[in-house]
Amino acid sequence: MTTQIHVHVFPTSEEVAAAAAERIATVVREKPTCVLGLATGSTPEATYGKMIELYHQGLDFSRVSTFNLDEYAGLQCDHPQSYRAFMEERLFRHLNLRPWNTHVLNGTTQFPALECAAYEQQIQARGGVDLWLLGIGQNGHIAFNEPGSPLDSRTRVVALTPSTIAANSDGRFFADPKDVPRSALTAGIGTIREARQLVLLATGQKKAEAVARALKGDFSVDCPASLLQDHRDCTFLLDEAAASLLKS
Ligand code: F6R
């Protein structure tokens, strides 16, 4: 498949973050009631910093809704490694978002299937996601959609792969692999693909292979990010290290 994905390469990761925040700001200015999809992990942290700067310069988030991609199963929302806590700390508490407009899947629900179905309904009830910010795993995963996740997958409970458990316990988030939950709730590939605009961020050499597979490899469940190739409005914002395998 010939990819329709737009690719922008920047000299530094800071410029990637500035470009991502500016894209988000454009959507917020054009549609003050917009719905943003958000990601956790190391990559979007700098973008969240830039969004906070834009808020201090007058960008208004008071009518914006947000939906996060995923949450670990079994972690209370106030557990420091929960994605709810990550978002509160890195972004939500710094903006004038209304708490009831921020959505993160509940990892401790007794009824995960209901939680996932309700999440899909909440996204629909708000009119769908206008822009979903994504990261990419070294194995090509998007959200916790690991290789093999179906194109039409919806929000659901998934098992984490050993490579994702290892990547998330390299000292950045969890200190020890045994502390990483073995499963998570995640928006599906089908859920993500329904967003009107997708912006995937990748920085650093560790992401170069996954980025090359996503953009130049087959449209295949073996590399979940490659399943964005036919999206009508998808942009990859990369630093030079993450883009380094695209030229060959
Ligand atoms: C987290 C998420 C994950 C990360 C990916 C990259 O919400 O969606 O798919 O985007 O694991 O993580 P970092 O940015 O930490 O390299």
Side-chain angles (χ1 to χ4, degrees), residues 120 124 129 154 189-196 231-232:
E120 295 270 349
Q124 292 310 321
V129 172
R154 310 302 308 187
I189 309 253
T191 320
I192 294 166
R193 280 168 50 95
E194 281 172 9
R196 285 182 270 281
H231 192 275
R232 60 181 181 231

Side-chain angles (χ1 to χ4, degrees), residues 38-44 68-71 83 133-138 141-145 164 167-168 172-173 186 201 203 207:
L38 299 173
T40 53
S42 300
T43 315
N68 264 81
L69 284 169
D70 42 16
E71 179 61 284
Y83 285 169
L133 191 69
L134 304 170
I136 182 171
Q138 291 172 46
H141 73 217
I142 47 174
F144 277 129
N145 294 286
T164 295
N168 289 359
R172 291 174 306 156
F173 300 119
T186 184
L201 311 180
T203 56
K207 300 295 173 67

